[in-house]
Each structure stands twice: as structure tokens, then as C-alpha cells.
Amino acid sequence: MSGVATVGSQERHGDFVHDGKDHLLPLLDAEGLKEAERCSMAPYTVEDFTADMLAKSGGRHDRDEIRIIVEQGYDTMKWLAERGVPFKLPLNFWVSHEGKDGVQDLAPGVPVVTRDYGRGLADAMWKAAEQTNIQAFYSMPAHDLIMDGDRVLGVQARSPRGFCEFYGNLILACGGFEANPRMRRQYLGRGTEFAIVRGTRFNTGVMLEKALAAGAQAQGHRGGYYCAPQDVDAPKMGDVKTLDKWERYSFPYSIMVNKAGERFVDEGEDELSLINSKVGAAIAQEQDAKAFQVFDRKTASLVNEKYLTHSTPIEDDKFEGLAKKMGINIDNFMQTVNSYNAATSKDKGKFDPYTNDGLSTTEDCTPRKSNWALPIDSAPYTAYAVTVSITFTFGGIKTNQSGQVLNNEDNVMPGLYATGEVTGGFYYG
């Protein structure tokens, strides 16, 4: 009951079990159904979903939550679609390309995205809420819990006219602390205080901290977060006008270097949707949380169109000139490029930009590039300056299977519920 209409994450999608493209058609809006004719997608099975979650979380995630999502995920997405959430398949979501016969074969682990992303989701859900008897209080953020021992009686909200109190059962659905630079630095570590916030500026962790102070049990990976590479000139807070235009997801076809001119991450470790957060977090650890994605002419057609509309490319026909324009160590950059190119395969026939092609550098290349390791040797060369952008944080408060918040003694706190990213049992690592 914060009363603040928020944007949500700039990248809003849901991973759930499904039987392939035809199974997803009932979820799509009218435009999405037309776009689906240009796509193919294999099923995402229970086994696939479970294996991905195990790999992503290191086995730490809450098994009951995973079971519920497996059992009810598709029906929940259908419920949202029936209430006007405009879902579509992730056509050109990661990279701009056309597959065989103009049909894109999409990765099944990210089955649908919301049209207009976080803004589209928020707009649709507010519209659905306005058709009910739910009353919204704008410009009145939640400020504190109203407590009687372990029992939650309601919430105190603040406004320019003073505090207001609302009594009744309380559901915390206020996200994490991604918009709070103090908490980011405290829990997520060096470099994250510089992070661009991809979504709402209002997820500052206020009610998360209030709940913990009231005795709610902490749960989850407080030092973990979901992030991605973003253009260095992107707005510092989520912009509902430009939405996802600042994302920089074509890095698997580049080499990424830091301000010292050195590579620092495996740009092609796995399918993009599985590593973009890991790569974003790696950027956060570099000097000034800044890096450069460097492409050559061979992969220019694979650069997502978002790069071309919302960025300032750095271009040159020579590596020395490119490094000078990037403002990085020229000698280190030349050594990086030469050693990387020497470690790449000359068998360009194996290159497949749309699947893990196994085209890797040799083992003596550090860090190794596991897929899509073409040499960077065809001028002109283009670089894009990037930084880390944070979507949401992982750690939160513990709930039971009914969404009731548990205290430090593992007992229910009557009157208090929580859902979404303010809870902490789902994401780790």
C-alpha cells in the first residue's frame, strides 16, 4: 500500500514451464500472435527448469517455491494475460537477427516478455486494479509498520500533509533495495554504488528494513543481484520513455575490455539469457564500473539495433586509434587483441551466432572465451562504453507457502504477508 505508481524493471519476463510455442499462443496479445508467425520455440520442461535453477542458485533456492512455480507458473501467466498484460515472444529481445527462412528460433528459457517491458506490465496491472474496488493512494509511500508485538496491525504512510495510518492485513510487495546506493554498497560490494537503476527509483528497501527491525526473519542471498550491461550514458534511473533502449546485450560477439585495456570475463560462456547478469556484475568490479564492448566488421550485423539508436559508437580503422579514442591503455589493448586473436580458431565455418557453437579460444587464453570466439581483425572496429545496471536484489524476508512472513523464531507474524523480490528464497548467486 505504498501508493506509488512504479515502473518496475525495464526487463520484465517470466521463466516457467511450457510445451513450446503453440502452448504460449493463448498468452500473447494480438500483435504478439502476428509476431509469433516469425518464431519457433521448443518446450521448456520441468527437468530443464529445475536444472537451470539448480545451476543458477548453486542448489540453494527454496524447493517449495520452485515446486509451486512449476505447478502454477503457466496458469499464473495465463491469469495475467486474461487481465490485459500484453505478452509477446522475445523476438529480437537479445540480438537483432533473422534465422533460417526468416524464422527466429528462440531460447525456451525466456518464453515471453511484456510489451513495453516494466512500463507495459505496470500500466496493465494498474488498469486492471482500477476496474475493481481497490483504492489507490498516490504520492503516499509506505513509511513504517504499525505493530503490537509480533502482530502487524497495518501500515503508516507519509505525505506532504503528514502521516496517515491504514489498518488491516498488510502485503509487502515493495521490491528490493536496488535504488538505494547505501544498501547496494553495504550488501552488494564495491562498484555497485555506481550502478544504473534499470527500473523504479522507489525500491529503496525502506519496508524491507522496517520488517527486519520488527523481527521478520532474513532469508536469501543479501549480496546477490540481477544486473546487465548498460550503455554508460543511460539515464541513472529507469526512464519510461526510452525503456530498454540502453541495454547492451550483443557482447557475446565482442571482446570486452576494461579501462586498463584488458579482458576480464568470458563473453561467450553460455546462452546470453543465462550470463548477462554475471557479465554485468563483472563490470561492476572493474575500475569506475566501466568497460568497452569491441566489435569488428564481421559481427556488425549482429549488433542489436538498440546500440545504433541510443549510444555514441567509438570507431576507427586501427586498434591504436580506437584505444586512444576509448581513453584506455594503448599498449595493453594491443597486447590483449593480439593474444586473443592468436588464441582463436581459424575455422570460421563453425560460427553460429544463435546457439552455443563451441567455437572457443585455446586454453592458454585468459579469460577463455567459450563460444563465438571469432578473431577481431576486420576493420572498421567499433566500441561501445558500458557500465553495470541493476534490475533487482535477491535477499529479503522469509515467508511460508501461504505468503505469511515468519519471524526469527520461525513463527508466523499475524497480519503480515510478502511477495515478490522483498522475499528472499528464490534467487542466489
Side-chain angles (χ1 to χ4, degrees):
M1 197 180 291
S2 69
V4 178
T6 60
V7 182
S9 157
Q10 295 289 52
E11 172 195 308
R12 177 56 60 199
H13 55 74
D15 295 357
F16 57 93
V17 173
H18 61 86
D19 294 331
K21 188 187 86 168
D22 290 346
H23 192 210
L24 300 172
L25 296 181
L27 308 181
L28 308 183
D29 65 5
E31 188 175 350
L33 287 172
K34 293 180 181 178
E35 293 172 345
E37 296 175 2
R38 299 159 50 197
C39 306
S40 63
M41 184 182 291
Y44 194 50
T45 66
V46 173
E47 293 75 19
D48 292 336
F49 181 91
T50 304
D52 279 347
M53 286 307 305
L54 282 169
K56 291 177 184 178
S57 73
R60 294 184 175 92
H61 61 265
D62 188 303
R63 299 302 196 274
D64 287 330
E65 287 191 7
I66 298 300
R67 176 182 55 79
I68 291 170
I69 290 174
V70 165
E71 294 174 354
Q72 302 180 27
Y74 179 86
D75 290 340
T76 300
M77 299 298 285
K78 189 175 180 181
W79 184 89
L80 289 168
E82 290 169 349
R83 282 151 183 81
V85 176
F87 290 121
K88 63 175 184 174
L89 298 180
L91 183 70
N92 288 329
F93 184 74
W94 304 109
V95 293
S96 298
H97 69 267
E98 291 292 338
K100 185 179 180 181
D101 300 324
V103 175
Q104 290 193 24
D105 184 18
L106 304 176
V110 184
V112 297
V113 296
T114 312
R115 193 171 303 282
D116 287 339
Y117 305 98
R119 185 183 72 187
L121 176 65
D123 288 348
M125 295 312 294
W126 277 111
K127 183 177 180 180
E130 289 165 356
Q131 295 172 355
T132 72
N133 61 355
I134 295 172
Q135 187 176 4
F137 296 84
Y138 295 93
S139 299
M140 194 176 289
H143 177 71
D144 205 351
L145 300 172
I146 303 172
M147 302 290 300
D148 180 16
D150 276 340
R151 193 159 57 102
V152 176
L153 306 180
V155 64
Q156 183 186 65
R158 61 178 173 83
S159 77
R161 299 177 300 279
F163 289 113
C164 298
E165 294 183 341
F166 298 87
Y167 288 87
N169 290 338
L170 177 65
I171 303 172
L172 296 179
C174 46
F177 54 86
E178 62 271 15
N180 186 327
R182 171 186 63 81
M183 292 183 71
R184 292 201 306 267
R185 184 65 177 86
Q186 179 180 355
Y187 292 113
L188 308 183
R190 177 174 62 87
T192 59
E193 67 268 38
F194 301 121
I196 288 172
V197 179
R198 301 177 72 198
T200 173
R201 69 186 65 224
F202 300 114
N203 284 2
T204 56
V206 170
M207 295 308 292
L208 171 59
E209 290 192 310
K210 295 292 186 180
L212 291 170
Q217 185 177 160
Q219 179 176 242
H221 185 188
R222 187 74 80 236
Y225 60 106
Y226 183 87
C227 60
Q230 194 100 336
D231 191 274
V232 75
D233 293 324
K236 302 310 176 187
M237 293 286 178
D239 184 349
V240 297
K241 296 179 180 178
T242 56
L243 294 173
D244 66 326
K245 303 301 183 185
W246 300 97
E247 294 167 347
R248 297 295 171 255
Y249 283 156
S250 298
F251 62 82
Y253 315 121
S254 75
I255 59 169
M256 289 184 60
V257 298
N258 55 23
K259 293 182 71 173
E262 300 168 344
R263 290 178 62 238
F264 56 92
V265 71
D266 183 347
E267 305 92 342
E269 180 180 342
D270 205 340
E271 175 197 325
L272 179 57
S273 65
L274 298 178
I275 66 165
N276 69 87
S277 184
K278 183 175 182 178
V279 169
I283 295 172
Q285 299 302 307
E286 299 306 311
Q287 182 183 350
D288 297 333
K290 185 176 182 180
F292 297 87
Q293 298 175 359
V294 181
F295 302 85
D296 73 354
R297 179 169 47 83
K298 295 193 301 299
T299 54
S301 63
L302 297 170
V303 173
N304 194 292
E305 61 186 15
K306 299 170 188 175
Y307 285 62
L308 309 178
T309 57
H310 284 75
S311 66
T312 303
I314 304 168
E315 298 176 319
D316 203 279
D317 288 335
K318 301 290 185 182
F319 288 124
E320 295 92 337
L322 189 70
K324 185 175 182 179
K325 291 176 181 177
M326 288 190 287
I328 65 175
N329 187 294
I330 296 175
D331 291 338
N332 286 355
F333 181 63
M334 290 299 300
Q335 183 177 351
T336 294
V337 172
N338 290 334
S339 61
Y340 168 80
N341 284 344
T344 58
S345 170
K346 306 308 177 186
D347 183 7
K348 299 177 184 179
K350 292 182 179 179
F351 179 72
D352 183 348
Y354 312 129
T355 61
N356 290 9
D357 61 5
L359 192 62
S360 66
T361 56
T362 55
E363 293 183 0
D364 59 345
C365 182
T366 305
R368 192 177 185 186
K369 187 172 182 181
S370 302
N371 294 282
W372 310 295
L374 289 178
I376 306 291
D377 59 4
S378 301
Y381 306 108
T382 305
Y384 297 90
V386 296
T387 187
V388 59
S389 62
I390 185 168
T391 311
F392 59 87
T393 51
F394 290 176
I397 53 180
K398 189 174 182 178
T399 60
N400 62 18
Q401 293 182 50
S402 298
Q404 296 172 291
V405 175
L406 303 179
N407 65 15
N408 284 313
E409 295 75 48
D410 228 25
N411 298 320
V412 167
M413 298 180 71
L416 184 61
Y417 298 78
T419 186
E421 287 143 18
V422 74
T423 66
F426 195 73
Y427 292 107
Y428 290 82

